[in-house]
Amino acid sequence: MSQRLSSVDLQRVLDDREALMTLLTRWVERGWLRAIDRAFTEFLSRECPDASALLLLAAALASHQLGRGHLCLALGQTLAAPDLALSLPPEGDDREDPPPLPSMVLDGLSGEHWSAALHHPELVQSGDGESPLVAVGNGADTRLYLRRYWQHEQSIRHYIGIRLQAEPLPAASLRPIIDSLFPAGADLDWQRLACALAARSAFAVITGGPGTGKTTTVVKLLALLQSQALDTSGRALRIRLAAPTGKAAARLNASIAAQLERLDLNSLDQDPQTLREAIPSQVVTLHRLLGSRPDTRRLRHNANNPLPLDVLVVDEASMVDVELMAAMLEALPSEARLVLLGDKDQLASVEAGSVLGDLCQRAEGGHYREATRRWLAEASGQDLPDCCIDDTGNALDQAVTMLRVSHRFDANSGIGQLASAINSGDPDATRKVLGHGYGDLSSQRLDADDQRLERLAVEGLASAFPTSGARGYSHYLGVMNDQRPAHHAEDEQWDSWARAVLDAHGSFQVLCALRRGRWGIEGLNQRITRALASSGWLPQWLADIDGDRWFAGRPVLVTRNDYGLGLMNGDIGITLARPHPENPHQTTLRVAFAAGDGSDRIRWVLPARLRDVETVFAMTVHKSQGSEFDHTALILPEASSPILTRELIYTGITRARRWLSLVETGPARVLDQAVMQRVMRISGLQTPQ
């Protein structure tokens, strides 16, 4: 049994290293801190016996915050609301006899006192050096980083800053091409403006919600850049397209191909076919682009071995964490252009950082300088409204465009109206949309025993969408059963079957906020598995077991990059029974994954080789980023949680292409509070430098 802290010991935690380590041990045992957080603190204590308890506590909490996605520990914010800032106790911990809360430990401590305790040159420095920690700022405004993440942040600032200093292209040279690519119109065309602004400099961000035309805009941007390059040098640019996950890459690949097919290039000076062929449609994962290697963090491409390209476009940039963003920027040639696409209102990356959100923090207001307005008017023929002009706008503001008109969700779309209401942070507006009766939106309130959840998972709760084709998991299982090839079919037929099953599986997905509990993925996956078994879609024996088992039809989610197998975190595969390669008279289970390289190949993997996967009848909203489903069912937990935020709800509902089922399992205040609660990732990228 762990040693417990008395009230006297608690008063000594900030002054006594032994008392502090005892507290950290209790927090680790309870699951409040990671073991690595305590181990890091113990290492610092061992290496520097004169380090104060206050400094060691700051180090432990900086490591803890990194595990929660923050780049640093903000001393002032932590002291203002310790339990909320540190999210301790974590969600789902309602057990008795909790350890002392952070608010109890830090009670009465001032930011100036804590900041002064960080003055220890061997462990903490304020910039370049060898210390394991870096402190930025003074007093209560101090931010404490683990050095590697401070370096990532500085690297991002440096490489973006270099590109923002590049001279803008001549506006007059772009105007004829832009006029050819975009239809003339009197209304303000944000896609046209975004294309021009992205062509203006070597770094650009295009943000916008679902259906606002990010892909359409970037395809026209690439046509513009290639047309100009062929005009001026006669050489086509080397363009690469990338996304953070295999799923996102496959979706962008299909979207780019569709846009290219519709793109009218006949009015440009170049041969349309030559120009079309110069615009790539193949999309790869960022890890594959950078040359990830098995069992190492090192990448093949870096500052000493830069990527062989002239333009890089990265979609779903909100999913790119600070480490990967820094590695990507470092590997770009100094003269290469970078274009980031993404939705600033989505959840940030699973790993540390919220790079796109930080870069787009001022996107809604525009903050364009008068000189930018004049350049855009000459290049695009359109005049920015006065509300977007700010002569104190910084260099980054001039490179960011927010697309504002959704072509997927119109005024008759409940999904689109709900997304807007949630982004406004207004619970009353959200409730009004839910009660309006939109044909693409179903709102349900279920308790733990309500069988409508089973019907939703199996059939899609067709009664909520009586005139639609909304379906549940029975659809992909039906495709799996009905379209299975003959036993002696060729490999290509088995691949075609797997593609059909994977496509059908993408038509419906249950999403939730939490991992634990009956309304988290652990409880929901078990419940849905049993429902599908009881209704005859899966083997009957699955209705009577607990835990994960391998069976035909099991959908699995990769939870950690496996470079040896070429599978990335977030990839989804379906377990299928096919003939054994060495004994065609027997069947064996294989998990079918889309190749993730922009092709339509299928990768078949033995279940025994998959170390980090989980059943994915229910998926967390975090893991759904980069995916879209025809019908999405978003299950909200029965109690409020720090995880349940506006960004999470928005991300969940905008995974739905055609139909959304929103399921509330607790009181109305759970959703209302979530709409008002925002994700606040702490980093220095939010502050000008």
Side-chain angles (χ1 to χ4, degrees):
M1 181 177 293
S2 65
Q3 179 184 354
R4 299 195 177 276
L5 288 166
S6 67
S7 58
V8 175
D9 291 325
L10 182 57
Q11 293 173 10
R12 294 173 50 226
V13 163
L14 301 185
D15 301 309
D16 184 273
R17 291 152 54 107
E18 184 176 346
L20 171 66
M21 297 310 296
T22 300
L23 173 67
L24 297 184
T25 298
R26 286 201 63 195
W27 280 358
V28 170
E29 291 174 345
R30 187 72 173 218
W32 291 17
L33 286 190
R34 303 173 299 170
I36 195 173
D37 302 330
R38 189 193 184 284
F40 173 62
T41 310
E42 190 173 30
F43 166 77
L44 297 182
S45 177
R46 187 170 59 249
E47 293 297 310
C48 294
D50 61 337
S52 69
L54 263 179
L55 190 161
L56 295 175
L57 175 60
L61 296 180
S63 179
H64 165 70
Q65 291 292 71
L66 184 62
R68 296 183 53 240
H70 301 292
L71 291 189
C72 54
L73 174 72
L75 267 58
Q77 291 181 31
T78 302
L79 291 174
D83 302 341
L84 179 62
L86 299 170
S87 193
L88 294 179
E91 56 95 2
D93 186 353
D94 53 3
R95 291 173 290 167
E96 296 180 355
D97 190 26
L101 294 169
S103 54
M104 300 166 60
V105 176
L106 297 171
D107 185 36
L109 180 64
S110 72
E112 288 70 19
H113 186 190
W114 205 3
S115 176
L118 302 183
H119 292 300
H120 191 296
E122 190 175 354
L123 292 184
V124 187
Q125 294 171 359
S126 59
D128 293 330
E130 300 297 328
S131 64
L133 299 168
V134 177
V136 177
N138 299 297
D141 294 328
T142 300
R143 302 191 307 274
L144 184 67
Y145 294 80
L146 274 66
R147 174 164 293 280
R148 183 153 61 93
Y149 287 86
W150 175 83
Q151 290 173 331
H152 292 329
E153 187 177 279
Q154 295 305 303
S155 180
I156 291 171
R157 280 184 179 275
H158 171 72
Y159 286 114
I160 289 179
I162 288 174
R163 284 176 167 76
L164 290 176
Q165 293 172 13
E167 283 295 317
L169 290 175
S173 68
L174 302 181
R175 179 65 180 273
I177 308 174
I178 290 176
D179 284 345
S180 298
L181 292 170
F182 290 89
D187 295 334
L188 191 64
D189 185 343
W190 281 102
Q191 291 185 23
R192 186 182 182 109
L193 285 168
C195 181
L197 201 61
R200 182 174 182 264
S201 65
F203 174 76
V205 180
I206 300 174
T207 187
T212 51
K214 296 186 291 294
T215 307
T216 302
T217 303
V218 83
V219 168
K220 293 184 177 181
L221 169 65
L222 297 181
L224 183 156
L225 294 175
Q226 286 291 33
S227 178
Q228 189 185 52
L230 291 169
D231 264 350
T232 56
S233 70
R235 182 184 70 86
L237 298 170
R238 298 168 298 171
I239 299 174
R240 297 297 303 273
L241 310 175
T245 67
K247 188 78 172 178
R251 191 160 64 85
L252 179 61
N253 185 79
S255 182
I256 290 278
Q259 292 294 335
L260 273 174
E261 190 173 337
R262 292 195 293 266
L263 188 62
D264 183 5
L265 301 172
N266 290 317
S267 56
L268 295 176
D269 292 340
Q270 286 76 31
D271 172 61
Q273 188 59 31
T274 301
L275 186 55
R276 197 179 305 276
E277 290 173 355
I279 303 172
S281 61
Q282 185 178 32
V283 187
V284 298
T285 64
L286 272 173
H287 287 91
R288 187 181 298 275
L289 176 74
L290 293 172
S292 59
R293 300 173 179 178
D295 304 318
T296 179
R297 301 175 77 100
R298 294 188 177 182
L299 301 166
R300 184 173 298 110
H301 291 288
N302 51 43
N304 296 321
N305 181 29
L307 291 160
L309 54 78
D310 301 303
V311 181
L312 175 61
V313 176
V314 180
D315 193 23
E316 296 290 355
S318 63
M319 299 171 64
V320 182
D321 62 83
V322 67
E323 183 174 9
L324 185 56
M325 184 68 76
M328 179 189 73
L329 283 163
E330 181 182 327
L332 280 180
S334 58
E335 69 281 1
R337 290 174 171 272
L338 174 63
V339 181
L340 302 181
L341 307 178
D343 186 343
K344 69 179 181 62
D345 295 315
Q346 278 191 198
L347 282 168
S349 57
V350 175
E351 303 298 331
S354 56
V355 180
L356 185 74
D358 292 343
L359 295 175
C360 295
Q361 198 172 45
R362 289 157 54 91
E364 195 156 353
H367 300 281
Y368 300 114
R369 299 169 186 158
E370 190 62 46
T372 304
R373 179 191 221 172
R374 292 194 298 271
W375 187 96
L376 279 171
E378 185 178 358
S380 70
Q382 301 224 303
D383 189 27
L384 285 167
D386 290 341
C387 62
C388 293
I389 305 305
D390 177 5
D391 276 334
T392 66
N394 59 44
L396 176 62
D397 294 331
Q398 316 313 302
V400 177
T401 313
M402 176 177 164
L403 301 178
R404 300 159 192 259
V405 179
S406 176
H407 303 280
R408 181 188 306 170
F409 302 133
D410 59 19
N412 297 316
S413 166
I415 299 172
Q417 295 299 316
L418 185 61
S420 297
I422 286 170
N423 267 341
S424 74
D426 186 346
D428 293 334
T430 301
R431 290 289 167 196
K432 184 176 180 181
V433 173
L434 290 174
H436 187 274
Y438 288 102
D440 61 347
L441 178 60
S442 167
S443 177
Q444 308 283 336
R445 190 175 297 279
L446 306 181
D447 58 36
D449 301 320
D450 198 318
Q451 293 301 304
R452 283 180 296 172
L453 176 65
E454 278 75 6
R455 295 202 303 275
L456 172 62
V458 176
E459 305 166 4
L461 205 60
S463 60
F465 306 104
T467 61
S468 75
R471 295 169 288 202
Y473 288 127
S474 60
H475 173 55
Y476 92 88
L477 291 169
V479 171
M480 181 183 76
N481 294 332
D482 298 341
Q483 298 186 23
R484 178 183 171 84
H487 192 76
H488 298 290
E490 299 294 327
D491 285 347
E492 178 51 41
Q493 291 176 275
W494 292 105
D495 286 356
S496 295
W497 174 55
R499 280 192 290 273
V501 175
L502 285 165
D503 287 345
H505 179 266
S507 66
F508 176 72
Q509 182 64 54
V510 172
L511 302 180
C512 57
L514 309 178
R515 292 193 60 84
R516 303 191 186 103
R518 59 186 173 186
W519 300 115
I521 61 170
E522 293 174 358
L524 286 170
N525 273 319
Q526 191 66 56
R527 186 169 174 178
I528 294 170
T529 300
R530 289 176 174 172
L532 290 165
S534 298
S535 57
W537 290 103
L538 291 177
Q540 182 63 42
W541 57 266
L542 286 167
D544 303 315
I545 66 165
D546 293 322
D548 288 330
R549 300 287 192 280
W550 286 104
F551 54 86
R554 180 190 178 193
V556 293
L557 177 78
V558 177
T559 59
R560 182 178 298 176
N561 293 343
D562 188 326
Y563 301 112
L565 292 176
L567 297 175
M568 297 294 127
N569 188 351
D571 288 350
I572 292 177
I574 307 292
T575 311
L576 300 173
R578 60 169 295 175
H580 194 287
E582 297 177 1
N583 188 349
H585 298 291
Q586 295 182 356
T587 59
T588 183
L589 293 180
R590 294 286 191 276
V591 185
F593 292 91
D597 58 1
S599 70
D600 62 353
R601 293 185 304 109
I602 295 295
R603 179 180 288 113
W604 296 90
V605 182
L606 276 169
R609 298 191 65 193
L610 295 170
R611 294 172 295 177
D612 298 295
V613 296
E614 60 190 20
T615 301
V616 71
F617 286 122
M619 179 194 298
T620 62
V621 174
H622 272 96
K623 291 292 188 180
S624 74
Q625 290 177 265
S627 301
E628 288 182 346
F629 313 97
D630 287 340
H631 181 193
T632 298
L634 177 60
I635 315 290
L636 301 184
E638 55 196 339
S640 296
S641 162
I643 290 176
L644 204 59
T645 62
R646 183 187 310 174
E647 289 83 358
L648 183 139
I649 304 297
Y650 171 83
T651 302
I653 66 175
T654 54
R655 299 310 89 203
R657 272 191 296 255
R658 302 179 66 185
W659 305 286
L660 172 71
S661 295
L662 181 69
V663 178
E664 297 181 73
T665 64
R669 67 173 179 273
V670 174
L671 175 59
D672 296 346
Q673 290 174 2
V675 170
M676 293 185 289
Q677 182 169 288
R678 302 215 63 176
V679 171
M680 296 301 293
R681 287 259 174 115
I682 302 169
S683 84
L685 287 174
Q686 300 168 344
T687 60
Q689 187 168 295

